[in-house]
């Protein structure tokens, strides 16, 4: 029982996705040898020796190998993960969504001194509450679809893995911060949302090992539910 649980926390081969006991052997500081996967016979994780920019480019290109490296071998989402990482990721996700909603409504800061501090606080509170409700709907719909469409076991560990994978793969939303400072066409928001949807699909596929079509359907349903919540229930444009 203990050995099986320990094996579940092993890193993964980025090529075939199978578990490997170790990714490398270190002989001395700066001197390591990458280990090969027993299943596919290839180097288990060549990204260990790659620069961050190379990994980031492969993530943007939606390469499954890069997502396996990030989720399984870097963040270790299958290990006994500190719950604080998930909480911080969710909070960041909500704040970035608040930026998106604010930009969509034309609330970009322009230095207008006629707006009182109290009004500004109320406006920020409204945007944050809208983003919070939208994320609650998004995450609830995502987990329900994972259970009923993908037929996966519904437990705390599985929920944490799926949520963290989807939230981490929403890194395209970081571009929304720049939109609060510089002028961008409104269609950029649409481009960011499409990029997030496609990235979420790859991450969910890596974690669940289901087909791309099924994972796209799950992610699309969750994003659609959040959009409808913001559009109709909250009156967001």
């Amino acid at each position: 029982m203990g050995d099986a649980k320990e094996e579940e926390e092993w890193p993964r081969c980025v090529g075939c996705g199978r578990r490997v006991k170790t990714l490398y052997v270190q002989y001395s500081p700066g001197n390591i040898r990458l280990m090969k996967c027993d299943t596919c016979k290839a180097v288990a994780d060549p990204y260990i020796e790659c620069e961050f920019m190379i990994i980031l480019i492969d993530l943007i290109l939606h390469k499954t190998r890069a997502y396996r490296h990030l989720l399984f071998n870097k963040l270790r989402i299958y290990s006994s993960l500190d719950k604080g990482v998930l909480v911080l990721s969710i909070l960041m996700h909500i704040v970035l969504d608040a930026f998106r909603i604010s930009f969509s409504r034309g609330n970009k800061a322009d230095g207008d001194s006629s707006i009182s501090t109290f009004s500004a606080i109320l406006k920020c509170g409204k945007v944050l509450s809208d983003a919070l409700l939208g994320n609650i709907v998004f995450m609830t719909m995502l987990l329900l679809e994972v259970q009923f469409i993908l037929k996966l076991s519904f437990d705390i560990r599985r929920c944490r893995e799926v949520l963290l994978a989807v939230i981490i793969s929403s890194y395209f939303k970081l571009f929304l911060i720049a939109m609060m400072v510089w002028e961008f066409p409104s269609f950029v928001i649409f481009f960011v949302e499409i990029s997030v949807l496609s990235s979420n699909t790859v991450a969910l596929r890596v974690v669940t090992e289901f087909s791309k079509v099924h994972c796209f359907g799950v992610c699309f349903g969750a994003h659609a539910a959040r959009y409808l919540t913001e559009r109709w229930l909250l009156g967001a444009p």
Side-chain angles (χ1 to χ4, degrees):
M1 182 73 175
D3 294 339
K5 184 176 181 180
E6 181 181 352
E7 186 175 345
E8 287 182 357
E9 299 186 356
W10 284 3
R12 300 287 189 101
C13 170
V14 299
C16 64
R18 296 293 183 265
R19 293 183 176 88
V20 292
K21 191 170 184 179
T22 183
L23 297 174
Y24 61 90
V25 174
Q26 183 172 1
Y27 298 107
S28 61
N31 182 20
I32 65 173
R33 179 169 67 90
L34 300 181
M35 304 301 292
K36 291 186 177 182
C37 172
D38 294 333
T39 303
C40 66
K41 308 303 180 183
V43 174
D45 190 353
Y47 285 108
I48 291 176
E49 294 184 326
C50 292
E51 298 291 337
F52 170 75
M53 287 305 299
I54 296 178
I55 299 174
L56 179 60
I57 291 173
D58 280 358
L59 287 171
I60 294 175
L61 294 176
H62 291 0
K63 291 189 176 181
T64 304
R65 295 164 59 91
Y67 278 82
R68 287 197 181 109
H69 166 77
L70 176 66
L71 298 176
F72 294 139
N73 302 339
K74 195 70 175 178
L75 298 178
R76 298 292 184 91
I77 64 171
Y78 278 96
S79 66
S80 301
L81 184 70
D82 184 2
K83 296 179 180 178
V85 175
L86 179 59
V87 173
L88 289 176
S89 299
I90 292 175
L91 290 177
M92 177 61 72
H93 195 259
I94 293 173
V95 170
L96 291 175
D97 264 349
F99 284 149
R100 175 183 54 79
I101 293 174
S102 178
F103 185 85
S104 298
R105 294 177 179 176
N107 294 336
K108 182 175 179 247
D110 54 3
D112 189 356
S113 59
S114 63
I115 301 178
S116 66
T117 303
F118 181 72
S119 298
I121 292 175
L122 285 180
K123 186 178 292 185
C124 290
K126 179 64 166 59
V127 170
L128 283 173
S129 63
D130 290 357
L132 175 61
L133 182 55
N135 273 269
I136 291 175
V137 171
F138 171 78
M139 295 177 192
T140 302
M141 191 69 179
L142 177 71
L143 294 177
L144 289 176
E145 288 182 291
V146 166
Q147 181 184 13
F148 293 109
I149 296 180
L150 301 185
K151 306 295 184 182
L152 294 181
S153 59
F154 196 75
D155 52 49
I156 298 299
R157 184 172 181 174
R158 173 63 70 177
C159 292
R160 188 175 64 183
E161 293 165 358
V162 170
L163 284 179
L164 188 60
V166 170
I167 291 174
I168 292 298
S169 64
S170 300
Y171 55 85
F172 277 100
K173 290 188 176 184
L174 291 172
F175 290 105
L176 296 172
I177 298 177
M179 298 178 68
M180 300 299 295
V181 180
W182 294 291
E183 292 287 348
F184 286 93
S186 58
F187 72 84
V188 173
I189 294 181
F190 176 76
F191 173 77
V192 170
E193 289 298 311
I194 293 298
S195 300
V196 169
L197 173 60
S198 60
S199 182
N200 290 165
T201 301
V202 177
L204 187 63
R205 184 186 180 194
V206 165
V207 172
T208 62
E209 298 183 353
F210 274 80
S211 68
K212 185 180 296 185
V213 174
H214 284 84
C215 293
F216 174 79
V218 169
C219 293
F220 180 81
H223 280 275
R226 189 208 63 202
Y227 173 79
L228 293 177
T229 299
E230 296 175 353
R231 180 78 177 184
W232 291 333
L233 298 182
L234 302 177

